Amino acid sequence: MSNLPAQLSTLQQEISALTEKLAPANADEIGQCIEGLMSGGMRISETITAANPVEEYRLSLRNVPVYGLRRAYTKLKRGEYENINLAFIPLPAELAAMANAECRIIREDRVRKHETLRAIEASVSRTLPSAHGLMDLRVKQRERANELAAQGFYLVAEGVDHLEFTNLARSRELPTRSVHLWAIDEVWSPIAVRVNRNRIHTRLNVQHEPVSPERADELAKMLALPDAREVSDEQMAYRRRIEAEIEAVETPAEEKAA
């Protein structure tokens, strides 16, 4: 029993590492892959009639795990694939299938580790007493995490409290339908994304130049104008930023008056 916490922690770290490998390749990585194959002498098939063939690869490979893409790239460079014309880069759909196939073992390994984690946690829930229901809640949210994993969700961030999750959601670092399991401090997303938490922390710590009272009055008049029938997310974000700037000016003024 004394080794259970360490075992659970190790499994969670291993699952996170596997999830990171399954994160989708970005446009730059896809472009570098195609350009690298071309620099090695492989040509893009003439059957691709798009004006920008590399962009066709970016569209087809945008949800392909970066690990699989790198494996396929290396094996193509080394000529390790059979029944492939090495004079041409595989078509976008073919290359996507090859990259996904390279991730099969990782996906199976992650499923096995999830099942092991679920079995251990089920054992813990039967043997450990709850303290004011807190242990039960952690167990329930761990079960919820397992359910999300089975539904195809990805663990994209750990150690995230309620405040940081709110900031991440507002910054659009997280896709729609992301789930925060606050009792175990995890964030699960329907898409495997790389969450740049450092950028959020940097943004929160940036000290902006104070807004003058005159500028605050001008902004307040802008806010008083009626909204259009349809307001975009960007416009709403701009409105919130203006309101925050005005509040930053009004608060010191109120403190001085007190």
Side-chain angles (χ1 to χ4, degrees), residues 164 167-168 171 173 196-208:
E164 184 178 8
N167 291 328
L168 286 171
S171 67
E173 283 289 327
N196 191 339
R197 297 166 68 180
N198 290 333
R199 183 167 63 187
I200 301 304
H201 295 158
T202 301
R203 187 183 303 169
L204 292 174
N205 292 329
V206 170
Q207 298 296 323
H208 298 285

Side-chain angles (χ1 to χ4, degrees), residues 2 10 20 23 29 43 48 65 85 108 114 120 129 156 168 187 199 229 253:
S2 59
T10 299
E20 178 66 21
E29 291 166 332
R43 304 193 303 274
I48 300 178
N85 186 347
E108 292 175 351
H114 266 299
I120 293 174
V156 296
L168 286 171
V187 177
R199 183 167 63 187
R229 291 185 178 180

Side-chain angles (χ1 to χ4, degrees), residues 201-257:
H201 295 158
T202 301
R203 187 183 303 169
L204 292 174
N205 292 329
V206 170
Q207 298 296 323
H208 298 285
E209 290 295 326
V211 179
S212 67
E214 293 76 12
R215 176 57 176 166
D217 290 339
E218 180 182 349
L219 294 175
K221 292 177 181 178
M222 292 171 58
L223 290 177
L225 296 174
D227 289 331
R229 291 185 178 180
E230 296 184 1
V231 182
S232 67
D233 292 339
E234 291 77 9
Q235 289 170 324
M236 288 303 299
Y238 181 68
R239 170 181 279 274
R240 287 193 293 270
R241 183 163 65 83
I242 291 178
E243 291 173 344
E245 291 179 0
I246 294 175
E247 183 178 356
V249 174
E250 293 176 346
T251 300
E254 293 173 355
E255 292 175 351
K256 288 182 180 179

Side-chain angles (χ1 to χ4, degrees), residues 129-191:
S130 63
H132 304 294
L134 294 180
M135 178 60 72
D136 287 345
L137 183 55
R138 287 182 60 83
V139 171
K140 288 180 180 178
Q141 291 211 344
R142 175 54 58 201
E143 292 174 349
R144 174 59 176 156
N146 293 332
E147 292 174 358
L148 291 171
Q151 294 170 12
F153 277 66
Y154 297 86
L155 175 60
V156 296
E158 297 179 89
V160 177
D161 59 19
H162 179 71
L163 177 59
E164 184 178 8
F165 176 75
T166 301
N167 291 328
L168 286 171
R170 287 177 177 174
S171 67
R172 297 188 180 180
E173 283 289 327
L174 296 174
T176 304
R177 295 175 56 227
S178 294
V179 178
H180 181 215
L181 302 178
W182 59 268
I184 54 178
D185 296 329
E186 292 182 358
V187 177
W188 288 77
S189 164
I191 304 173

